[in-house]
Amino acid sequence: MAGSALRRLIAEYKQLTNNPPDGILAGPISDENFFEWEALITGPSGTPFEFGVFVTRLHFPSDYPLSPPKMKFVSEIFHPNVYPDGRVCISILHAPGDDPMGYETSAERWSPVQSIEKILLSVVSLLAEPNEASPANVDAAKMFRENREKFDEMAKRSVRKTLGL
């Protein structure tokens, strides 16, 4: 199984290298391990995350693409859909099949037709439009709903940290 996963990861890496999405750089951390990736995501323009360069890590299981990778922000980020430890909470990264909580449809969850590029673009979209209904960081979600000015200030603080300011 790991052999087919490796072939898929190599193919996706070639695609991302030849045609990178705007504001995203991604690839394996080392040539020896294609199952651990780093991605740099630029904060979307017109959002409080604009100008930030956020470092993330992706860990791919040996049965990829049957199972989704795990994704985590290495850079500090204050966002409703990112746990305080950096783990990303987004439907596309949830295991395939029916949601035991009944919140997501199976079509919203992981499927082998998804790709690394789709994951990264979904995270960029999430930075622009948080999903308040399913927060991973309750404090960030509450602030986003009730005090957008304070939320924007916290988000911009994350941006300054990514820039070393």
Side-chain angles (χ1 to χ4, degrees):
M1 183 59 82
S4 61
L6 180 59
R7 284 190 295 280
R8 168 78 180 256
L9 289 167
I10 290 170
E12 289 196 52
Y13 177 59
K14 286 180 183 174
Q15 171 66 26
L16 284 168
T17 302
N18 293 333
N19 191 17
D22 288 341
I24 297 172
L25 290 174
I29 293 172
S30 77
D31 291 339
E32 289 79 43
N33 184 358
F34 258 73
F35 291 87
E36 298 288 336
W37 284 40
E38 184 171 79
L40 303 177
I41 298 173
T42 303
S45 62
T47 74
F49 298 102
E50 185 174 21
F51 305 117
V53 180
F54 299 93
V55 179
T56 66
R57 292 276 168 93
L58 292 111
H59 171 75
F60 295 89
S62 61
D63 67 344
Y64 179 80
L66 298 178
S67 296
K70 303 261 188 261
M71 184 173 185
K72 185 175 185 175
F73 276 87
V74 175
S75 301
E76 184 179 315
I77 186 166
F78 187 72
H79 190 280
N81 306 112
V82 178
Y83 288 98
D85 69 359
R87 288 177 293 134
V88 176
C89 182
I90 189 170
S91 299
I92 195 175
L93 291 176
H94 294 163
D98 293 329
D99 178 7
M101 305 301 281
Y103 175 73
E104 303 165 333
T105 67
S106 59
E108 295 172 296
R109 295 167 70 91
W110 179 257
S111 80
V113 300
Q114 303 294 1
S115 67
I116 300 165
E117 180 178 4
K118 286 179 185 174
I119 294 166
L120 296 171
L121 290 172
S122 294
V123 170
V124 170
S125 293
L126 195 68
L127 290 178
E129 297 178 29
N131 178 358
E132 303 171 59
S134 180
N137 184 329
V138 176
D139 293 335
K142 186 173 193 269
M143 192 179 294
F144 182 81
R145 274 192 308 273
E146 297 174 4
N147 189 345
R148 187 67 59 90
E149 188 175 306
K150 179 74 172 163
F151 173 83
D152 288 354
E153 181 183 311
M154 295 291 289
K156 288 175 183 175
R157 187 176 301 159
S158 297
V159 168
R160 286 191 299 277
K161 285 185 178 183
T162 73
L163 301 173
L165 303 174

